[in-house]
Amino acid sequence: MEIPSARYDLLIIGGGPIGLACGIAAQAAGLTYLIVEKGCLVNSLYRYPQNMTFFSTSERLEIGGVPFVSTNPKPKRAEALEYYRRIQQKFALEVHLFEEVTTVNPLDSGFEVITSKSVYSAQYVVVATGFYDIPCLMNIKGENLPKVSHYYNDPHYYAGQHVVVVGASNSSVDAALETYRKGANVTLVVRAESIGGRVKYWVRPDIENRIANGEVRALFNSKLVEIRPTEVDILTPAGLVTIQNDFVLALTGYQPNFAFLKKIGITLAEDHSREPFHNRETMETNIPGLFLAGVVCGGMNTHLWFIENSRVHAEQIVKRILQDQAKASPALSRIP
């Protein structure tokens, strides 16, 4: 067995905003820690569309007590990337990027954490991996064609093309509007009878007007059933419709890495939510010393947790760790 390269009080899996918040809280409490991120810093935010505007105001995205100053009423992706990059620099957070955690093994005391580059040991582990890495598939014929994407970045790429956007969420509506405005012929395919209820309030009138004017074609109570190189089949209330198509943006949502959660021993709910078990006061899972933080806590209910309401998880976790350490060594208690 490979000898662990380093030992920490706390190892944090995930270098997103909540993972960084956990690092800041650990640092403030005098704990040794390491943040391990499989991609770039705040990788999920980096993969957001280039022109995305957050639903939240900037102050609700702040961590570490550092003001997030934005030139807009609601910040954009580029501003958020700049803010969290400066957070990492300001606190000199110890972060290992482009290093994926493959498994977490319990030891007699603490955990062994194996990554794509090394092996670490830690007394405690936090999983703050979000939910943006694994798309919810449609499981239809042709979904694996190169023209199909479950992520959307920049609208210019689709100029002059026949584009099908699947879904009725913020990401779907943004993609439909932006690609339309860059000259795409857009068809929006929605399973429900209307646009989603959580669509940003300042965007909803725009998409509804574009649909009413016939500028964006919307097929409600419909679903994509087959994708071919130059066309797609859509099942509508009026029957099967075949339309010309160059690209499909299947923005059907995302999910946590349940396979990884199960692999490391975290119990998942047996209902549709598949919510990972955790104590909502301490964020500790069914495995003592192993915690969850951020949007991963909601399982498939990805609308429950956001940066603004899960920032507190960092303080909850560190408080629980300090309590645990105080019980083990009362003389070394660091609990405020």
Side-chain angles (χ1 to χ4, degrees):
M1 181 180 294
E2 187 173 351
I3 299 174
S5 60
R7 181 172 179 83
Y8 299 90
D9 291 326
L10 177 63
L11 190 138
I12 301 155
I13 305 173
I18 305 306
L20 298 182
C22 289
I24 293 169
Q27 186 182 91
L31 301 173
T32 59
Y33 69 92
L34 174 66
I35 302 170
V36 179
E37 164 58 54
K38 72 176 183 179
C40 65
L41 192 69
V42 289
N43 191 63
S44 292
L45 299 192
Y46 176 76
R47 298 183 70 182
Y48 283 178
Q50 286 190 9
N51 300 322
M52 195 205 79
T53 299
F54 281 83
F55 190 90
S56 304
T57 54
S58 58
E59 64 270 15
R60 301 186 70 184
L61 303 177
E62 295 172 355
I63 60 175
V66 178
F68 183 169
V69 179
S70 172
T71 59
N72 303 291
K74 296 178 186 295
K76 293 185 174 292
R77 166 188 173 273
E79 293 178 301
L81 293 178
E82 178 69 18
Y83 173 75
Y84 292 115
R85 186 166 61 246
R86 290 185 178 275
I87 285 287
Q88 190 275 327
Q89 294 169 351
K90 172 181 172 60
F91 291 94
L93 295 173
E94 187 173 358
V95 184
H96 288 189
L97 300 174
F98 303 100
E99 181 173 350
E100 183 174 7
V101 173
T102 56
T103 194
V104 178
N105 298 317
L107 303 173
D108 292 338
S109 177
F111 301 89
E112 175 191 62
V113 180
I114 301 174
T115 77
S116 57
K117 295 182 178 179
S118 191
V119 178
Y120 308 96
S121 62
Q123 190 64 37
Y124 306 93
V125 171
V126 174
V127 178
T129 49
F131 69 90
Y132 199 58
D133 287 326
I134 301 178
C136 298
L137 300 180
M138 298 178 292
N139 295 312
I140 63 173
K141 187 176 180 180
E143 188 171 10
N144 61 342
L145 288 173
K147 72 174 190 175
V148 180
S149 176
H150 291 277
Y151 296 91
Y152 162 71
N153 186 15
D154 185 86
H156 171 80
Y157 187 78
Y158 303 99
Q161 302 298 292
H162 291 81
V163 177
V164 165
V165 179
V166 182
S169 63
N170 279 298
S171 57
S172 304
V173 169
D174 285 346
L177 288 171
E178 291 181 7
T179 53
Y180 152 71
R181 289 200 164 95
K182 297 302 181 185
N185 183 321
V186 179
T187 299
L188 185 63
V189 179
V190 180
R191 280 181 174 267
E193 62 184 13
S194 64
I195 296 300
R198 298 189 185 92
V199 169
K200 292 172 281 197
Y201 65 84
W202 66 90
V203 174
R204 176 178 291 277
D206 191 1
I207 187 63
E208 289 177 343
N209 287 334
R210 301 293 74 72
I211 292 171
N213 291 342
E215 296 161 310
V216 171
R217 182 186 187 186
L219 299 176
F220 294 106
N221 297 307
S222 302
K223 63 178 180 178
L224 198 62
V225 292
E226 185 173 340
I227 304 168
R228 294 183 292 279
T230 61
E231 59 187 14
V232 297
D233 291 338
I234 305 167
L235 186 60
T236 75
L240 191 68
V241 174
T242 299
I243 65 172
Q244 183 179 351
N245 174 256
D246 299 303
F247 292 99
V248 173
L249 292 172
L251 306 180
T252 49
Y254 308 93
Q255 59 186 304
N257 189 338
F258 292 116
F260 176 74
L261 296 177
K262 288 182 66 176
K263 180 179 180 181
I264 65 177
I266 296 177
T267 300
L268 305 178
E270 296 183 358
D271 59 17
H272 171 73
S273 74
R274 302 190 73 190
E275 180 179 317
F277 176 86
H278 61 283
N279 182 317
R280 297 197 178 188
E281 295 297 320
T282 65
M283 308 312 296
E284 195 165 17
T285 68
N286 54 290
I287 302 173
L290 181 59
F291 300 84
L292 296 177
V295 296
V296 69
C297 299
M300 289 300 296
N301 293 325
T302 54
H303 61 281
L304 293 180
W305 295 105
F306 306 94
I307 298 171
E308 56 263 40
N309 68 349
S310 63
R311 296 176 295 184
V312 297
H313 293 171
E315 285 73 23
Q316 290 175 264
I317 292 168
V318 169
K319 180 180 179 181
R320 174 69 182 89
I321 291 173
L322 296 183
Q323 289 174 338
D324 193 43
Q325 290 187 338
K327 290 179 182 178
S329 302
L332 299 178
S333 175
R334 287 173 282 182
I335 301 177

Coordinates of all heavy atoms in Angstrom, one line a residue, residues 63-98:
I63 N -18.3 34.8 0.7 CA -17.8 33.9 1.7 C -16.6 34.6 2.4 O -16.0 35.5 1.9 CB -17.4 32.5 1.1 CG1 -16.3 32.7 0.0 CG2 -18.6 31.8 0.5 CD1 -15.7 31.4 -0.5
G64 N -16.3 34.1 3.6 CA -15.2 34.6 4.3 C -15.3 36.0 4.8 O -14.2 36.6 5.1
G65 N -16.5 36.6 4.7 CA -16.6 38.0 5.1 C -16.0 39.0 4.2 O -15.8 40.2 4.5
V66 N -15.7 38.5 3.0 CA -15.1 39.4 2.0 C -16.1 40.0 1.0 O -16.9 39.2 0.4 CB -14.0 38.7 1.1 CG1 -13.4 39.6 0.1 CG2 -12.9 38.1 2.0
P67 N -16.3 41.3 0.9 CA -17.3 41.8 0.0 C -17.1 41.4 -1.4 O -16.0 41.4 -1.9 CB -17.1 43.4 0.2 CG -16.4 43.5 1.5 CD -15.5 42.3 1.6
F68 N -18.3 41.2 -2.1 CA -18.3 40.9 -3.5 C -18.9 42.1 -4.2 O -20.1 42.3 -4.2 CB -19.1 39.6 -3.7 CG -19.2 39.2 -5.2 CD1 -19.8 37.9 -5.5 CD2 -18.7 39.9 -6.2 CE1 -19.8 37.5 -6.8 CE2 -18.8 39.5 -7.6 CZ -19.3 38.3 -7.8
V69 N -18.0 42.9 -4.8 CA -18.5 44.1 -5.4 C -18.7 43.9 -6.9 O -17.8 43.4 -7.6 CB -17.4 45.3 -5.3 CG1 -17.9 46.5 -6.0 CG2 -17.2 45.5 -3.8
S70 N -19.9 44.2 -7.4 CA -20.3 43.9 -8.7 C -20.7 45.2 -9.4 O -21.3 46.1 -8.7 CB -21.4 42.9 -8.8 OG -21.9 42.8 -10.2
T71 N -20.5 45.4 -10.7 CA -20.9 46.5 -11.4 C -22.4 46.4 -11.9 O -23.0 47.3 -12.4 CB -20.1 46.8 -12.7 OG1 -20.1 45.6 -13.5 CG2 -18.6 47.0 -12.2
N72 N -23.0 45.2 -11.6 CA -24.3 44.9 -12.0 C -25.2 44.6 -10.8 O -24.7 44.2 -9.8 CB -24.3 43.7 -13.0 CG -23.4 43.8 -14.2 OD1 -23.7 44.6 -15.1 ND2 -22.3 43.1 -14.2
P73 N -26.5 44.8 -11.0 CA -27.4 44.5 -9.9 C -27.3 43.0 -9.4 O -27.4 42.7 -8.3 CB -28.8 44.8 -10.4 CG -28.6 45.7 -11.5 CD -27.3 45.4 -12.1
K74 N -27.1 42.1 -10.4 CA -26.8 40.7 -10.2 C -25.5 40.4 -10.9 O -25.4 40.7 -12.1 CB -28.0 39.9 -10.6 CG -29.3 40.1 -9.8 CD -30.4 39.3 -10.3 CE -31.7 39.7 -9.6 NZ -31.7 39.4 -8.1
P75 N -24.6 39.8 -10.3 CA -23.3 39.5 -10.9 C -23.3 38.5 -12.0 O -24.2 37.7 -12.1 CB -22.4 39.0 -9.8 CG -23.4 38.4 -8.8 CD -24.6 39.2 -8.9
K76 N -22.3 38.6 -12.9 CA -22.2 37.7 -14.0 C -21.1 36.7 -13.7 O -20.4 36.8 -12.8 CB -21.9 38.5 -15.3 CG -23.0 39.4 -15.8 CD -22.7 40.0 -17.1 CE -24.0 40.7 -17.7 NZ -25.0 39.8 -18.0
R77 N -21.1 35.7 -14.5 CA -20.1 34.6 -14.4 C -18.7 35.0 -14.2 O -18.0 34.6 -13.3 CB -20.3 33.6 -15.5 CG -19.1 32.6 -15.7 CD -19.3 31.8 -17.0 NE -18.1 30.9 -17.2 CZ -17.0 31.3 -17.8 NH1 -16.9 32.6 -18.2 NH2 -16.1 30.4 -18.1
A78 N -18.3 35.9 -15.1 CA -16.9 36.4 -15.1 C -16.5 37.1 -13.8 O -15.4 37.0 -13.3 CB -16.6 37.4 -16.3
E79 N -17.5 37.9 -13.2 CA -17.3 38.5 -12.0 C -17.1 37.5 -10.8 O -16.3 37.7 -9.9 CB -18.4 39.5 -11.7 CG -18.5 40.7 -12.6 CD -19.7 41.6 -12.3 OE1 -20.8 41.1 -12.4 OE2 -19.5 42.8 -12.0
A80 N -18.0 36.5 -10.9 CA -17.9 35.4 -9.8 C -16.6 34.7 -9.9 O -15.9 34.4 -8.8 CB -19.1 34.5 -10.0
L81 N -16.1 34.4 -11.1 CA -14.8 33.7 -11.2 C -13.7 34.6 -10.6 O -12.8 34.1 -9.9 CB -14.5 33.4 -12.7 CG -15.4 32.3 -13.3 CD1 -15.0 32.1 -14.8 CD2 -15.4 31.0 -12.6
E82 N -13.7 35.9 -10.9 CA -12.7 36.8 -10.4 C -12.8 36.9 -8.9 O -11.8 36.8 -8.2 CB -12.9 38.2 -11.0 CG -12.0 39.2 -10.5 CD -10.5 39.0 -10.9 OE1 -10.3 38.3 -11.9 OE2 -9.6 39.6 -10.3
Y83 N -14.0 36.9 -8.3 CA -14.2 37.0 -6.9 C -13.6 35.8 -6.2 O -12.8 35.9 -5.2 CB -15.7 37.2 -6.5 CG -16.0 37.1 -5.1 CD1 -15.7 38.2 -4.2 CD2 -16.5 36.0 -4.5 CE1 -15.9 38.2 -2.9 CE2 -16.8 35.9 -3.1 CZ -16.5 37.0 -2.3 OH -16.8 36.9 -1.0
Y84 N -14.0 34.6 -6.6 CA -13.5 33.4 -5.9 C -12.1 33.1 -6.1 O -11.4 32.6 -5.3 CB -14.4 32.2 -6.3 CG -15.8 32.3 -5.8 CD1 -16.9 32.4 -6.7 CD2 -16.1 32.4 -4.5 CE1 -18.2 32.6 -6.3 CE2 -17.4 32.5 -4.0 CZ -18.4 32.6 -4.9 OH -19.7 32.8 -4.5
R85 N -11.5 33.6 -7.2 CA -10.1 33.5 -7.5 C -9.3 34.4 -6.5 O -8.3 34.0 -5.9 CB -9.7 33.9 -8.9 CG -8.3 33.7 -9.3 CD -8.1 33.7 -10.8 NE -8.4 35.0 -11.3 CZ -9.5 35.2 -12.2 NH1 -10.2 34.2 -12.5 NH2 -9.7 36.4 -12.6
R86 N -9.9 35.6 -6.2 CA -9.3 36.5 -5.3 C -9.4 36.0 -3.8 O -8.6 36.2 -3.0 CB -9.8 37.9 -5.4 CG -9.4 38.6 -6.7 CD -9.9 40.0 -6.8 NE -9.4 40.6 -8.0 CZ -8.2 41.2 -8.1 NH1 -7.4 41.2 -7.1 NH2 -7.8 41.8 -9.3
I87 N -10.5 35.3 -3.6 CA -10.7 34.6 -2.3 C -9.6 33.6 -2.0 O -9.0 33.6 -0.9 CB -12.1 34.0 -2.2 CG1 -13.2 35.0 -2.0 CG2 -12.2 32.9 -1.0 CD1 -13.3 35.6 -0.7
Q88 N -9.4 32.8 -3.0 CA -8.3 31.8 -2.8 C -7.0 32.4 -2.5 O -6.2 32.0 -1.7 CB -8.3 30.9 -4.0 CG -7.4 29.7 -3.9 CD -5.9 29.9 -4.2 OE1 -5.6 30.8 -5.0 NE2 -5.0 29.3 -3.5
Q89 N -6.7 33.5 -3.2 CA -5.4 34.2 -3.1 C -5.4 35.0 -1.7 O -4.3 34.9 -1.1 CB -5.2 35.2 -4.2 CG -5.1 34.5 -5.6 CD -5.2 35.5 -6.7 OE1 -5.5 36.7 -6.6 NE2 -4.9 35.0 -7.9
K90 N -6.4 35.6 -1.3 CA -6.4 36.4 -0.1 C -6.2 35.5 1.1 O -5.4 35.9 2.0 CB -7.8 37.1 0.1 CG -8.0 37.8 1.4 CD -9.3 38.4 1.6 CE -9.5 39.0 3.0 NZ -8.5 40.0 3.4
F91 N -6.8 34.4 1.2 CA -6.6 33.5 2.3 C -5.5 32.5 2.1 O -5.2 31.7 3.0 CB -7.9 32.7 2.6 CG -9.1 33.6 3.1 CD1 -10.0 34.1 2.3 CD2 -9.1 33.9 4.5 CE1 -11.0 35.0 2.7 CE2 -10.2 34.7 5.0 CZ -11.1 35.2 4.1
A92 N -4.9 32.5 1.0 CA -3.8 31.6 0.6 C -4.2 30.2 0.9 O -3.5 29.4 1.6 CB -2.5 31.9 1.4
L93 N -5.4 29.8 0.4 CA -6.0 28.5 0.7 C -5.2 27.4 0.0 O -4.8 27.6 -1.1 CB -7.4 28.5 0.2 CG -8.4 29.4 0.9 CD1 -9.8 29.4 0.2 CD2 -8.6 29.0 2.4
E94 N -5.0 26.4 0.7 CA -4.2 25.2 0.2 C -5.2 24.4 -0.7 O -6.0 23.7 -0.2 CB -3.6 24.4 1.3 CG -2.7 23.3 0.7 CD -1.9 22.5 1.8 OE1 -2.1 22.9 3.0 OE2 -1.2 21.6 1.4
V95 N -5.0 24.5 -2.0 CA -5.9 23.9 -3.0 C -5.0 23.1 -4.0 O -4.1 23.6 -4.5 CB -6.8 24.9 -3.7 CG1 -7.7 24.1 -4.6 CG2 -7.5 25.8 -2.7
H96 N -5.4 21.8 -4.2 CA -4.8 21.0 -5.2 C -5.8 20.9 -6.4 O -6.8 20.3 -6.2 CB -4.4 19.7 -4.7 CG -3.2 19.7 -3.8 ND1 -2.6 18.5 -3.4 CD2 -2.5 20.7 -3.2 CE1 -1.6 18.8 -2.6 NE2 -1.5 20.1 -2.5
L97 N -5.4 21.5 -7.5 CA -6.3 21.5 -8.7 C -6.0 20.4 -9.6 O -4.9 19.8 -9.6 CB -6.3 22.8 -9.4 CG -6.7 24.1 -8.5 CD1 -6.4 25.4 -9.3 CD2 -8.1 24.0 -8.1
F98 N -7.0 20.0 -10.5 CA -6.8 19.0 -11.5 C -6.3 17.7 -10.8 O -5.5 17.0 -11.3 CB -5.9 19.4 -12.6 CG -6.4 20.7 -13.3 CD1 -5.9 21.9 -13.0 CD2 -7.5 20.6 -14.2 CE1 -6.3 23.1 -13.6 CE2 -7.9 21.8 -14.8 CZ -7.4 23.0 -14.5

